Amino acid sequence: MAEHDFRFSMLTPQHTLIECRSLAVGRYQVTGNGGSIKNDDVLLVTVKGSKTLHMRLNVEKVRHLINPPGQWVAVANGPAFTELAIHQWKVNCNGCGKEQDIEFMVEGKDGKKALKPAAQARITELGWKAVGEHHLCPACGKNAS
């Protein structure tokens, strides 16, 4: 099992994601070029409409195409969204005043009640610490420990 990074990058044009579309909730069809994709591998793919978010997809089966050379089509399992919504918030460090824009994904039909838990999870994922309603950036969080 290998992990292949197909997030958008100008540094790896030989490994490109051509299409990623939803077949059903939590099931995706991914078309790409490059890499040696095999069954049970993990693909990191950029979320459409996002600058920083990506999804981890587990390849169930892959078919390598003869023409064009290097192209493949895979069926993969991943996050189960029926209506994906991307939100952007600003988080401020209460220690040093640093401000950072964050993006996070939520299930669109869950509405506003899902925003705060999803934002907190993303902030934690980025290395920030939450202390009540206050936030500490990764640098201030290390100093506080």
Side-chain angles (χ1 to χ4, degrees):
M1 180 172 112
E3 188 173 275
H4 304 275
D5 191 349
F6 281 89
R7 292 177 286 188
F8 180 74
S9 170
M10 298 301 263
L11 301 175
T12 57
Q14 69 276 17
H15 290 70
T16 55
L17 184 68
I18 296 168
E19 178 186 41
C20 182
R21 65 185 187 101
S22 178
L23 298 173
V25 176
R27 219 161 140 75
Y28 301 87
Q29 177 179 310
V30 184
T31 305
N33 194 27
S36 299
I37 309 302
K38 297 180 181 93
N39 295 349
D40 299 322
D41 281 357
V42 174
L43 302 175
L44 299 176
V45 299
T46 302
V47 174
K48 184 177 181 179
S50 167
K51 297 175 189 163
T52 60
L53 296 174
H54 67 277
M55 292 191 297
R56 295 178 64 84
L57 304 178
N58 299 310
V59 176
E60 187 178 297
K61 59 184 173 181
V62 65
R63 183 171 47 104
H64 293 273
L65 305 177
I66 296 171
N67 201 6
Q71 197 170 74
W72 47 267
V73 177
V75 174
N77 297 312
F81 288 106
T82 54
E83 184 184 322
L84 176 65
I86 298 171
H87 293 275
Q88 296 176 342
W89 278 7
K90 288 186 185 301
V91 62
N92 295 306
C93 178
N94 293 93
C96 66
K98 177 181 176 180
E99 183 177 272
Q100 184 175 351
D101 292 327
I102 63 159
E103 288 184 313
F104 59 96
M105 300 182 286
V106 295
E107 179 66 53
K109 66 181 179 185
D110 289 346
K112 292 189 184 241
K113 67 179 170 66
L115 294 180
K116 191 170 182 176
Q120 280 300 120
R122 180 66 175 154
I123 289 167
T124 303
E125 184 181 307
L126 294 172
W128 287 65
K129 290 190 178 180
V131 182
E133 290 293 316
H134 299 287
H135 297 97
L136 296 174
C137 69
C140 292
K142 279 185 184 176
N143 295 339
S145 295

